[in-house]
Amino acid sequence: MGNQTAVVTGGSRGIGRAICVALAREGINIVTCYAKGSAAAEETIAICKGYGVQAVAVQADVAVQADVERLFAEALKLTGTIEILVNNAGITRDGLLIRMSDDDFDQVIDTNLKGAFYCMRAASKLMMKKRYGRIVTISSVVGLIGNAGQVNYAGSKAGVIGMTKSLAKELGSRNVTANAVAPGFITTDMTEALPETVKEQMAKQIPLGRMGKPEDVAEAVVFLVSDRASYITGQVLNVDGGMAG
Ligand code: NDP
């Protein structure tokens, strides 16, 4: 898989960092972005460069179209080509629907759904011309089965599945695949913030009996962007220890 370049959003921490590192290990050049965590993003870049690939981190808010355009311009400066897009950046603003503010709804939709849209559109233009591309979007088990307190987040994560399936139909003839990965509960800052009792409750819902690691998700992404997955498109690969059933 060498000599390819991947844009991975939200690579400063958690699942995004694990995806950057796993792709770099396969010889893929990495362009990632972050919202605020520049020091953490530079750590990711240093790890990737340790695998002998080119790597760069750009401050870019995926919810802002101009930032996404700048991210793709920077990516093209690195190697002149982009074969892989991984839409990973995401946020939560949890709360029960009856108390959810417009702002908490909009922030989650703007980042998780519209951010993925901006990146998909920018990547698709390049990949269609190239007649090759791999687009993987990180959804969530919550987008498949729902979760109390996450109407906004579940809406965004179900939304990216619909976008992925539509994109697969639009781009199939150009040899561009679009798939989603739906992680369950993965140990990152996002889930670390939850109370211990909630985490214990979650673990009970997981047939494999443990929370996942960011690397578990990264392996699924590596597979979906590889030649081994060249006839797979429009699919959702659950990496959830069996949660969604
Ligand atoms: P983290 O909160 O640990 O990391 C989120 C990453 O996204 C960070 O790199 C952050 O950058 C970046 N980011 C957030 N908002 C933006 C933005 N507007 N523009 C650019 N970058 C942004 O999350 P996880 O690693 O846990 O989650 C990664 C993805 O996986 C998300 O889409 C999440 O919804 C999904 N997911 C996670 C699960 C879990 O259990 N952890 C389960 C299912 C899905 P910065 O460091 O600058 O803030």
Side-chain angles (χ1 to χ4, degrees):
M1 285 200 277
N3 281 330
Q4 296 189 24
T5 299
V7 171
V8 180
T9 62
S12 50
R13 306 182 266 129
I15 294 171
R17 173 182 283 182
I19 292 169
C20 289
V21 172
L23 293 176
R25 196 181 291 135
E26 299 292 321
I28 295 168
N29 302 308
I30 299 297
V31 179
T32 192
C33 73
Y34 57 90
K36 296 192 184 101
S38 72
E42 288 309 325
E43 274 176 40
T44 302
I45 293 308
I47 301 168
C48 292
K49 284 185 172 168
Y51 291 103
V53 299
Q54 297 188 66
V56 68
V58 179
Q59 191 290 323
D61 181 343
V62 293
V64 176
Q65 190 184 350
D67 282 19
V68 171
E69 279 169 14
R70 189 166 41 78
L71 169 66
F72 277 79
E74 289 294 327
L76 284 175
K77 266 193 223 161
L78 190 71
T79 61
T81 174
I82 297 164
E83 286 83 6
I84 297 164
L85 165 67
V86 184
N87 284 308
N88 164 80
I91 58 166
T92 51
R93 295 286 183 272
D94 298 349
L96 294 175
L97 175 70
I98 51 168
R99 286 198 286 269
M100 187 173 285
S101 68
D102 289 5
D103 197 42
D104 284 346
F105 185 82
D106 290 345
Q107 279 189 39
V108 168
I109 296 298
D110 286 352
T111 304
N112 300 4
L113 189 66
K114 204 159 186 194
F117 161 70
Y118 288 143
C119 293
M120 281 174 172
R121 189 170 58 183
S124 295
K125 286 180 185 161
L126 300 166
M127 292 172 178
M128 281 170 80
K129 270 194 213 141
K130 205 177 165 67
R131 293 191 173 264
Y132 181 87
R134 297 276 187 269
I135 297 173
V136 179
T137 300
I138 309 302
S139 174
S140 168
V141 65
V142 166
L144 296 167
I145 64 174
N147 196 22
Q150 292 197 307
V151 159
N152 49 358
Y153 183 77
S156 73
K157 293 300 181 179
V160 296
I161 292 176
M163 284 186 352
T164 294
K165 287 179 180 288
S166 303
L167 197 55
K169 291 187 171 160
E170 288 188 18
L171 300 185
S173 64
R174 307 297 175 103
N175 193 30
V176 178
T177 67
N179 291 289
V181 171
F185 290 112
I186 311 296
T187 313
T188 68
D189 293 347
M190 193 179 266
T191 45
E192 199 48 46
L194 297 165
E196 234 16 81
T197 46
V198 175
K199 283 192 246 179
E200 279 164 24
Q201 271 307 111
M202 281 177 177
K204 284 188 194 142
Q205 299 169 43
I206 307 171
L208 286 182
R210 65 166 176 91
M211 290 182 62
K213 301 189 293 291
E215 292 75 16
D216 294 323
V217 181
E219 285 306 323
V221 174
V222 169
F223 169 65
L224 287 171
V225 304
S226 76
D227 287 343
R228 300 193 301 278
S230 57
Y231 202 54
I232 299 174
T233 193
Q235 301 305 304
V236 184
L237 179 49
N238 295 359
V239 182
D240 64 1
M243 266 187 84

